[in-house]
């Protein structure tokens, strides 16, 4: 098999079918890896993209390690076959730390390549990938005491990848906020959080001095009455078209600079709404490591 003029895409665990539906010109698949002809495609269901895959014939475990090290220092193995042989090759490469990241730390700055043992004597490797994290997965040192659910990891990951986050004193709306994980993240950053949900926040979250909770529907707040808002956040469970309608209303009538919303992929025609979100100028759709069958939509002012 030839790998020239191809791009390799790594699907998130369990979402291989979503990536398969999104990709064009797929010529091979091994587990979560998809090989497609041509330049990189604009896709959201790829956890990492191997931008310059090359096939390298090897004669031995040592030969494979020497050839990889001749290209660059740092490599991460994504094993799809011949697992023991691949592990022995990786053991001869410089160690790459995959320890969990402390929130607030910057993403790794060094270039991290990805490789796999496609056949017993054939390495497929790409020195350049879209993510500096191993397999594109962002793993944090978690706070297992304060956040009421693990949903807070979505914001930790997003702010780490974008290297943009609410600043102290900025006003954030958290719509559909119960039980309060997102409000907690924003408040801990020093932002002023106006949290809206029909259900109350977890008691210890509601006591945070930067959080003001109001009982109500995420969809009932009139943007024309809200005044200037620095950030609008929504992790509310709803159909994508309803979320899109709310976002469009805020963009038309509100004064909000930045948007971060989780698009829950439910309903028969959710892809139409996803396409409409993607078409909003200046916005971005992405699947985070912390996302399930959902996408994160971002629009920064």
């Amino acid at each position: 098999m030839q790998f020239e003029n191809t791009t390799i895409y790594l699907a998130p665990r369990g979402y291989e079918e979503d990536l398969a539906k999104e990709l064009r010109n797929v010529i091979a698949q091994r587990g979560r890896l998809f090989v497609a002809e041509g330049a990189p495609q604009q896709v959201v269901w790829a956890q990492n993209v191997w931008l310059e895959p090359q096939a390298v014939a090897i004669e031995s475990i040592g030969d494979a390690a020497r050839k990889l090290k001749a290209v660059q220092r740092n490599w991460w193995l994504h094993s799809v076959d011949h697992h023991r042989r691949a592990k022995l090759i990786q053991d001869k490469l410089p160690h790459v730390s995959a320890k969990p990241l402390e929130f607030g730390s910057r993403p790794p700055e060094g270039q991290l390549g990805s490789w796999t043992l496609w056949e017993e004597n054939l390495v497929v490797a790409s020195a350049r990938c879209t993510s500096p994290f191993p397999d594109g997965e962002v793993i944090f040192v978690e706070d297992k005491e304060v956040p009421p659910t693990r949903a807070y990891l979505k914001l930790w990951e997003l702010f780490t990848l974008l290297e943009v986050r609410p600043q102290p004193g900025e006003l954030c709306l958290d719509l559909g906020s119960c039980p309060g994980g997102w409000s907690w993240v924003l408040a801990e950053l020093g932002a002023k959080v106006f949290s809206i949900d029909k259900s109350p926040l977890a008691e210890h979250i509601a006591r945070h001095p930067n959080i003001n909770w109001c009982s109500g529907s995420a969809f009932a707040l009139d943007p024309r009455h809200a005044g200037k808002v620095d950030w609008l956040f929504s992790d509310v469970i709803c159909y994508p078209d309803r979320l899109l309608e709310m976002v469009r209303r805020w963009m038309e009538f509100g004064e909000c600079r930045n948007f971060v919303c989780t698009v829950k992929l439910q309903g028969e025609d959710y892809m139409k709404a996803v396409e409409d979100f993607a078409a909003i100028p200046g916005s971005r759709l992405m699947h985070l490591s912390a996302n399930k069958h959902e996408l994160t939509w971002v629009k920064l002012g």
Side-chain angles (χ1 to χ4, degrees), residues 7-20:
T7 305
I8 297 179
Y9 304 81
L10 175 64
R13 291 182 183 86
Y15 300 113
E16 293 87 347
E17 288 187 11
D18 295 275
L19 180 57

Side-chain angles (χ1 to χ4, degrees), residues 191-203:
K192 298 177 182 178
V193 185
F194 192 67
S195 179
I196 301 175
D197 201 301
K198 292 179 180 179
S199 300
L201 304 181
E203 290 186 8

Side-chain angles (χ1 to χ4, degrees), residues 87-98:
K87 176 67 165 53
L88 291 172
I89 295 171
Q90 184 67 40
D91 288 344
K92 290 184 172 294
L93 297 173
H95 175 70
V96 174
S97 175

Side-chain angles (χ1 to χ4, degrees), residues 174 177-181 183 195 197 199-206 211-213:
D174 186 9
S177 52
C178 177
S183 290
S195 179
D197 201 301
S199 300
L201 304 181
E203 290 186 8
H204 67 292
I205 301 295
I211 297 175
N212 182 10
W213 171 77

